[in-house]
Amino acid sequence: MLVLGVVVVERFFAGRKWDSLRSIARLGIAGCLGLALASPLLLPGAQLITHSVRSQVAALYSLPKSVFINFAFASFYGFPTNSTHYFGPSNYYETAAFVGPTAIVLAVLGLWSRWRRVEVSAIGVALIALVGIVFTTIGVKVVGSVPGLSEVVWTRALVAIDLLLSVLAGVGLSVVMDREAQRKTKRRFVAVSMLALMGIGAICVVGVTGMQTGVDRSIREQSLVWPCVSLLITGGASLLLVGGARRRGQTGKAARPRHAGGRRGASRVLLAVIAVAGAEVAFLLTAAPTLEPSSHVGFVPTRAEVQLEKAVGSARVGFETCPSLVQVPSLGILPEANGVYHVAEIAAYDPILPDRYFSVWDQASGQPPLPTAGTFCPSITSAALARVFGVSFVLGPVGSATPTGTRRVGEIGGENLFQVPASGTVMLKAIGSRASLLKGDSRAVRVRYGGGGRVTFAVKLAHSESVRINVTDLPGWRATVDGRAVALHPTHGLYFLARLPAGTDRVTLTYWPRLFSVGLVLAVVAALILAVGGLLRLMPVARRRSGRGGARELEGSRERDSGASGLRDSGNVSAVGVLSGVPQVDTARSR
């Protein structure tokens, strides 16, 4: 939006008001169609966000200035991997932003050489604004005071900064490829490259000599290798271009054939581009280790994971001890990966985690309210707390005390496994009061999870009973009993209560938000508009081509007619020539 605003303002003050209005209209239409195409995910996603921790005011803070160096270096502060360690000023995953020194050099060159182009200057303004927001306290406070922007974690704008740097680097690479660029532009390339090399040298002196431990010093020394190599290659490419430009300036045009000089100039440009682009690609591919390794084999379950899946089935698993309510557990399987092993854990790492989890936890545990976050891991220390979240099993470290009201059923992977009686995802006779729930006046029903947001369970009831379904209360859940709809009553904002009739056999819960259906309709309409617009756009082209052919034929006939007319005119003899016996051409007509 900032880039668009700068472009529109520039055109407006340049006297091109209609151009700016047309640009706004075209971008507005394109934006609306893009939103319509994405609406199947955007609409239900926005609905989920309003019920999540993201709907609250985000913490306003800026990143330390030392993070700037991460744009040029991949491992200046190490990596959080087994082969090394991280010793940076903040969380690595919040500060990793490297694009490489070559990209930075090209970005500076592109902005310096093409800043008069409005789109380039607009990108530069957006880049400076985001840097001010991310790295200064004043900037983040100013933008956080704007309604609607206080919910944004602005430190994540590092990704947008990388994008803008990459775009400007592309502009700089186009400058390098421009054979007709002036010699001063080539000299700018040399100047920026040399300044970058001097900066790397200063960092080597200051950054490495100040390290206290030998391990950290070794990590930092290795982090400087690729930036230095890539900058040396970039500097050599810049000198090659300047040398070619100087030779073209000193050699006269008549001194050498035109084609030979053009070929040599093109070869220099091609070599320079290959060197610069190759150095950047090599840096990005080799400077950092693979943090999340990929494999064609997929997830390979360990023996403990297989045992846990067989022991608990589809029942929900909790943890006796978590580092904190908003930290990832050290027990069981890593959150969000447990689904791969078909284990349902009551721990989540989700940016749109429902905020009701925290409010229900505060009420059930009696602890002071804690700030919400995208991570949730409650410590299940009793059967009463387990029933609040429908937990049937609890994992705890070896040697820990048995949670109140549970019984130990075994040991898996060096962790104790405890079972919670009368607790599960679906519990019969579980009315809405907290007192009856904590007493365990219910019995669990075995459930089955299906793909696409589906939960099924089967029961046989002699008479109508109440059932508590521990599925997060979100708009879009529907229940059917043998194909007949059953009303779901949200309770405490975290689960549903339903009244099942006698003789119930199979109950199915499906998640299909109405906004998802609305989004599908909007996406189809947008796709049709784009298809029809594309066809209409192609039709005038065909007409113009046919019109051009007819115009050529008409023009050719006119030329033939004019030629014949010219011949007839040139054959006319004036009356004076006839009388005198000397044929004379009518010069006025021939002209």
Side-chain angles (χ1 to χ4, degrees), residues 39 56 88 108 141 206 218 261 265 297 343 355 371 375 426 458-459 481 508 547:
S39 58
Q56 302 179 8
V108 174
K141 286 185 177 180
V206 178
S218 176
V297 178
V343 177
D355 55 0
T375 309
V426 177
V459 292
V481 177
T508 303

Side-chain angles (χ1 to χ4, degrees), residues 541-566:
V541 174
R543 291 177 181 175
R544 285 196 298 269
R545 289 178 178 174
S546 61
R548 289 171 184 170
R552 291 194 187 98
E553 294 179 1
L554 180 60
E555 184 178 355
S557 63
R558 288 178 177 175
E559 289 177 353
R560 289 193 295 270
D561 293 342
S562 62
S565 175

Side-chain angles (χ1 to χ4, degrees), residues 54 57-65 67-68 70-71 89-98 127 129-141 143-144 149-163 349:
R54 295 302 179 193
V57 177
L60 297 177
Y61 64 94
S62 59
L63 293 178
K65 306 299 186 298
V67 174
F68 264 117
N70 288 344
F71 288 104
S90 183
N91 184 0
Y92 170 81
Y93 299 99
E94 298 290 337
T95 58
F98 68 93
L127 177 63
L130 285 180
V131 169
I133 293 172
V134 174
F135 291 97
T136 64
T137 305
I138 297 176
V140 72
K141 286 185 177 180
V143 74
L149 299 183
S150 59
E151 302 171 4
V152 179
V153 181
W154 285 99
T155 54
R156 309 287 172 83
L158 281 177
V159 179
I161 294 175
D162 283 345
L163 174 62
Y349 179 70

Side-chain angles (χ1 to χ4, degrees), residues 189-190 193-194 197 229-240 276:
F189 189 20
V190 175
S193 301
M194 295 301 107
L197 278 173
V229 171
S230 60
L231 281 181
L232 287 173
I233 295 175
T234 303
S238 64
L239 293 174
L240 177 65
V276 173

Side-chain angles (χ1 to χ4, degrees), residues 372-398:
T372 58
T375 309
F376 182 74
C377 182
S379 296
I380 307 299
T381 56
S382 66
L385 288 176
R387 296 188 188 101
V388 171
F389 296 97
V391 173
S392 301
F393 293 90
V394 178
L395 284 172
V398 174

